[in-house]
Amino acid sequence: MRPACTVLLVVVFMGNSIVTAQLASGWKAHDLNRPAPMVVTPGQECGGAPSDAVVLFDGTDLAQWQVPDGGDAKWRIVDGAMESVPNSGFVESREEFGDCQVHVEFATPTTVQGDGQGRGNSGVFLMGEFEVQVLDSFENLTYSDGSAGSIYGQYPPLVNASKKPGQWQTYDIIFRRPRFEDEKLSTPARMTVLHNGVLIQDGSEAYGPTNWIVHHEYESIKDKTRGSLRLQDHGNPVRYRNIWVRPLVEARSKPELAYDTVTIALHQDTAEKLVGKYGRHRVEFIEGKLVLFFDGNTPLEMIAHTATEFGFKKSAGRLEFEVDDDGMGTAIELNLDAAGMQTAKRKN
Ligand code: MG
C-alpha cells in the first residue's frame, strides 16, 4: 500500500546494533527466517544412541578407545560390556570433544570388596579433565565430594541415586567446556548430570580440572578446547556399556541479515494521525512511541521504516498503514510471522 500524501519526516539513521542489542537472543520473536532445529532421530530403546551421536562403545570392541599415550586400550570385553582391568590404566576415546552430551551405563562389581573410595571406583572424565565420579555409593559412606555422581573433590551430588552393586546404572551428562579470553578464564566448565534419571548436578561450575585432594587451576588447560572422554581404572573391575556422545553446538545462531537497518523518527502529529482502532487491533501513541495492541491486548512497540511502514521492536513482522490526504490512517495491512497476514479498516 502506498501513502496517499507526503508527510513530514525527520529522518534519523540509527545503527542496527542499537536495535539488535535490545534483543536477548539476537532474534525477533517468531521470525520465520530463524533456522529450524536439525532433525535428530531418538534411539529406538530408552538410552539408545540418537542418530547424531558418536557411538564410542556398542558392546563389540574397543576400536574407539586407546590408552592416554595412544596405544591400544587394555580393558577387556565381558558379556557386551567393557571392564576396567586393574592396573591397566585409564582408557580414553580416540575422538575428542568440547561441549557435548554424554550417555554412559556402568555397573560396579556385584561382589562387594573394600569400602569408601576403594569400592567400585572409576570415573568419567569430560575433556579428559573433569571427573564425574563413579563409585559404589550404595550404603557406602565416603567423603561427599567423592561419592557417586560428584564432580570429584568439588561438588557432591544433589542426592544419592545409586543402585545396588552389580546393577546397571546410567549417567547422562551435559558438559559445557570452559572458555578463555586473552588466556584468562571467562566461563568455567559447567556440568549437569542425571544419575539413573535423577538430577544430581545442576549446572555445576568446576573450580578447575578435578584431582585428588586439590584441584588443578584452569591455567593448566587454557589452550585446550577439546579432549577425550576418559574412563578411570582405579583398581576395581567396573563395567561400562552403551557409551555415546553428542557434540553440542557451542553458540546459538544469530540472524544473517540485520534487522531495521534504517529507521526514522516521526513527528508527534504525524504519528498521532495513525492512532485508532483497526478491526480487532488498536494503535496508540505512548511516551513518544507508536504501539500496536494486537487483538487489543498484546503491546508491540513499532519501529518506523517510512511514514507508513513499520516493523516491531521485538517481534518479527511488519505493519503498513493506508492513509488519506491528511495523513490519517484509514486501514492497516498487518503481517506477523506468528499470525500471518490480515487487513483491517479503521473503526474511528
Ligand atoms: Mg574415580
Side-chain angles (χ1 to χ4, degrees):
M1 295 183 185
R2 299 169 66 87
C5 65
T6 303
V7 293
L8 183 61
L9 303 176
V10 176
V11 179
V12 180
F13 291 88
M14 301 170 67
N16 178 64
S17 59
I18 296 171
V19 176
T20 53
Q22 296 166 335
L23 300 168
S25 66
W27 291 94
K28 290 188 177 183
H30 308 312
D31 188 340
L32 292 174
N33 293 312
R34 197 166 182 173
M38 185 180 76
V39 173
V40 172
T41 306
Q44 290 295 306
E45 298 169 357
C46 190
S51 58
D52 64 341
V54 177
V55 176
L56 294 179
F57 182 68
D58 64 1
T60 56
D61 60 51
L62 297 176
Q64 304 297 320
W65 299 86
Q66 63 183 12
V67 293
D69 67 6
D72 291 339
K74 302 291 195 304
W75 290 21
R76 60 178 188 157
I77 295 178
V78 182
D79 298 333
M82 53 190 282
E83 181 180 279
S84 168
V85 174
N87 304 315
S88 67
F90 283 70
V91 294
E92 65 177 26
S93 61
R94 295 186 187 277
E95 187 164 342
E96 297 188 333
F97 306 95
D99 288 356
C100 59
Q101 175 186 350
V102 177
H103 176 88
V104 302
E105 299 177 13
F106 65 92
T108 59
T110 304
T111 303
V112 174
Q113 292 182 328
D115 55 16
Q117 292 291 302
R119 183 169 144 186
N121 196 332
S122 181
V124 179
F125 286 67
L126 286 304
M127 229 169 75
E129 303 285 355
F130 302 93
E131 182 183 11
V132 178
Q133 171 75 311
V134 170
L135 194 76
D136 176 359
S137 281
F138 187 83
E139 298 177 352
N140 176 33
L141 281 179
T142 183
Y143 43 84
S144 294
D145 61 10
S147 59
S150 62
I151 308 302
Y152 186 73
Q154 300 187 18
Y155 291 93
L158 296 172
V159 295
N160 181 352
S162 296
K163 293 184 178 179
K164 292 181 178 179
Q167 293 189 346
W168 283 103
Q169 310 191 51
T170 60
Y171 280 160
D172 288 283
I173 303 167
I174 293 98
F175 173 74
R176 292 290 181 180
R177 67 175 178 84
R179 264 70 171 173
F180 296 85
E181 289 178 10
D182 298 328
E183 301 197 340
K184 292 243 178 345
L185 180 72
S186 58
T187 309
R190 197 168 72 245
M191 282 168 280
T192 296
V193 183
L194 301 175
H195 183 188
N196 298 323
V198 178
L199 182 69
I200 59 165
Q201 297 289 346
D202 185 10
S204 301
E205 296 185 339
Y207 306 123
T210 56
N211 195 15
W212 183 50
I213 300 183
V214 293
H215 61 75
H216 295 300
E217 300 301 321
Y218 274 107
E219 171 77 7
S220 64
I221 59 166
K222 66 180 188 299
D223 298 321
K224 192 170 182 176
T225 57
R226 301 161 73 82
S228 299
L229 188 74
R230 192 173 281 191
L231 302 177
Q232 184 183 37
D233 162 32
H234 199 280
N236 304 132
V238 175
R239 295 183 180 186
Y240 290 89
R241 71 179 185 188
N242 190 24
I243 305 174
W244 49 261
V245 179
R246 294 184 60 241
L248 297 176
V249 173
E250 299 214 341
R252 289 181 180 271
S253 68
K254 297 287 185 183
E256 290 184 11
L257 298 176
Y259 290 117
D260 308 313
T261 50
V262 177
T263 62
I264 67 170
L266 297 181
H267 277 307
Q268 180 172 342
D269 58 349
T270 303
E272 287 181 337
K273 289 179 180 176
L274 304 176
V275 169
K277 288 185 178 176
Y278 298 84
R280 299 179 286 125
H281 314 298
R282 189 172 77 250
V283 173
E284 293 188 16
F285 189 63
I286 303 172
E287 296 179 348
K289 296 168 184 171
L290 280 168
V291 179
L292 171 73
F293 285 82
F294 184 83
D295 272 349
N297 294 313
T298 306
L300 303 175
E301 185 180 331
M302 296 159 58
I303 295 173
H305 297 309
T306 72
T308 56
E309 296 170 345
F310 294 79
F312 299 100
K313 186 174 178 181
K314 294 183 177 178
S315 300
R318 49 176 286 281
L319 172 62
E320 189 169 352
F321 287 89
E322 191 173 87
V323 297
D324 63 16
D325 289 347
D326 294 324
M328 295 291 290
T330 58
I332 59 169
E333 182 179 281
L334 174 62
N335 192 0
L336 278 179
D337 282 16
M341 171 86 82
Q342 47 189 284
T343 59
K345 293 202 174 300
R346 186 172 182 159
K347 287 184 174 177
N348 57 346

